[in-house]
Amino acid sequence: SWLKEISTQLKSNYIEQFWVGFLEGDGSIIVRRNKQNKVYGSFEISLKYLSKNEDMLKTISEIIGGKVYFEKKNNEKIKVKWIAISLKDVSNCIHIIHKYPLISSRKIFQLEHLIKCIKNKEWDYHLLNRENKYQEQMNLINNKNNKFLIPHYFNGWLSGFIEAEGCFRFRNNKATSFYICQNNDLYILKAIKMIFDSKHKIGIHKDLRYSSIHYRLSISGKSLTLIKNHLTKYPLIGNKILSFNIWSDSI
């Protein structure tokens, strides 16, 4: 595969960028406490157990750190989990994110809150501030909607984000469209439109039960070839590669 043919350094850079995008779609940034009521942090990803997902999380563990665990039911694996929880692993995760900054607004504020809690160390600080961590979120979104600059690592990030959030649609065993969604962060879908030279409109589904706006982008036509080319150059590494391969073969 492409990842086996490149140098160790290039592979590490790609996996780091991919991991940031995947974390933003399917991961969690969590503030925890120990028995002494002191704060520590964790980065976690939990997926349905599938062999490709296990391979992906093991690759992430090799490059990023952290460990892979399994959740079982009746002695059968039902979930595969990657967790970075040691001080060394959490520090490395934060270091990588400083190299390739988070793009989604919610994760940006989750990380900001975690770093403040780690510095303060007291659990009460987390309890007092956790409800306010998103108070500047809409200001950040409005700012990025007006002037979001696509970062240099966006290609690798995007493949990780697609691994988490993308959907390849078929009809009669032929590729018909590519579908991806995001809550609140319109600028992310606008950037994806630009990368894939899409003229399609971004749809909105406003669920009155929630404060978030759910944006949806469905791409079809000539742009599908650009998506295929992108994911050939910047490959998916989890279970989604199986549906992508079938989808891309029909283009």
Side-chain angles (χ1 to χ4, degrees), residues 177-221:
S177 64
F178 167 77
Y179 182 93
I180 196 160
C181 302
Q182 179 65 14
N183 287 335
N184 294 319
D185 299 345
L186 178 62
Y187 58 92
I188 290 178
L189 295 191
K190 283 184 175 179
I192 294 172
K193 274 187 62 172
M194 186 179 298
I195 289 291
F196 296 139
D197 194 27
S198 166
K199 304 299 187 291
H200 301 84
K201 290 184 178 180
I202 297 173
I204 299 175
H205 176 68
K206 184 71 168 73
D207 192 327
L208 297 177
R209 294 173 298 172
Y210 304 101
S211 59
S212 60
I213 301 173
H214 191 64
Y215 292 104
R216 299 175 292 183
L217 174 61
S218 182
I219 299 175
S220 58

Side-chain angles (χ1 to χ4, degrees), residues 25-216:
D26 264 351
S28 301
I29 300 173
I30 302 174
V31 178
R32 299 189 178 279
R33 65 173 169 174
N34 61 22
K35 292 179 180 179
Q36 289 74 42
N37 237 25
K38 300 297 183 183
V39 161
Y40 66 96
S42 70
F43 292 79
E44 303 182 14
I45 297 170
S46 179
L47 304 172
K48 179 179 180 181
Y49 178 76
L50 296 162
S51 61
K52 289 287 186 184
N53 285 342
E54 178 184 355
D55 291 344
M56 173 176 63
L57 294 187
K58 283 182 175 178
T59 299
I60 286 172
S61 178
E62 290 168 8
I63 304 296
I64 309 294
K67 295 182 179 179
V68 175
Y69 301 89
F70 302 101
E71 183 180 321
K72 295 183 178 181
K73 187 175 183 180
N74 299 324
N75 281 332
E76 185 178 342
K77 295 174 183 176
I78 58 172
K79 287 192 175 182
V80 57
K81 300 181 178 183
W82 168 85
I83 301 175
I85 205 165
S86 71
L87 182 60
K88 178 183 176 182
D89 287 340
V90 169
S91 296
N92 193 50
C93 288
I94 293 171
H95 171 71
I96 291 167
I97 292 172
H98 281 157
K99 281 169 56 180
Y100 308 114
L102 296 167
I103 294 175
S104 65
S105 63
R106 191 169 180 84
K107 284 291 190 296
I108 287 171
F109 287 107
Q110 287 175 8
L111 179 68
E112 184 179 281
H113 178 68
L114 173 65
I115 291 172
K116 288 178 180 177
C117 288
I118 289 173
K119 287 180 178 177
N120 185 276
K121 298 181 181 178
E122 300 298 329
W123 182 249
D124 285 346
Y125 177 86
H126 164 64
L127 296 180
L128 287 170
N129 291 279
R130 61 182 175 181
E131 298 299 326
N132 299 321
K133 63 183 174 185
Y134 299 117
Q135 63 183 4
E136 292 297 320
Q137 185 179 9
M138 290 313 301
N139 288 336
L140 177 69
I141 290 170
N142 290 334
N143 183 51
K144 287 184 178 292
N145 282 342
N146 291 326
K147 53 178 181 180
F148 177 65
L149 297 177
I150 294 177
H152 67 92
Y153 56 90
F154 192 74
N155 287 324
W157 181 96
L158 178 55
S159 291
F161 192 67
I162 289 173
E163 181 80 53
E165 301 288 352
C167 179
F168 303 101
R169 284 180 165 176
F170 307 83
R171 187 177 296 133
N172 299 325
N173 294 321
K174 289 189 176 181
T176 58
S177 64
F178 167 77
Y179 182 93
I180 196 160
C181 302
Q182 179 65 14
N183 287 335
N184 294 319
D185 299 345
L186 178 62
Y187 58 92
I188 290 178
L189 295 191
K190 283 184 175 179
I192 294 172
K193 274 187 62 172
M194 186 179 298
I195 289 291
F196 296 139
D197 194 27
S198 166
K199 304 299 187 291
H200 301 84
K201 290 184 178 180
I202 297 173
I204 299 175
H205 176 68
K206 184 71 168 73
D207 192 327
L208 297 177
R209 294 173 298 172
Y210 304 101
S211 59
S212 60
I213 301 173
H214 191 64
Y215 292 104
R216 299 175 292 183

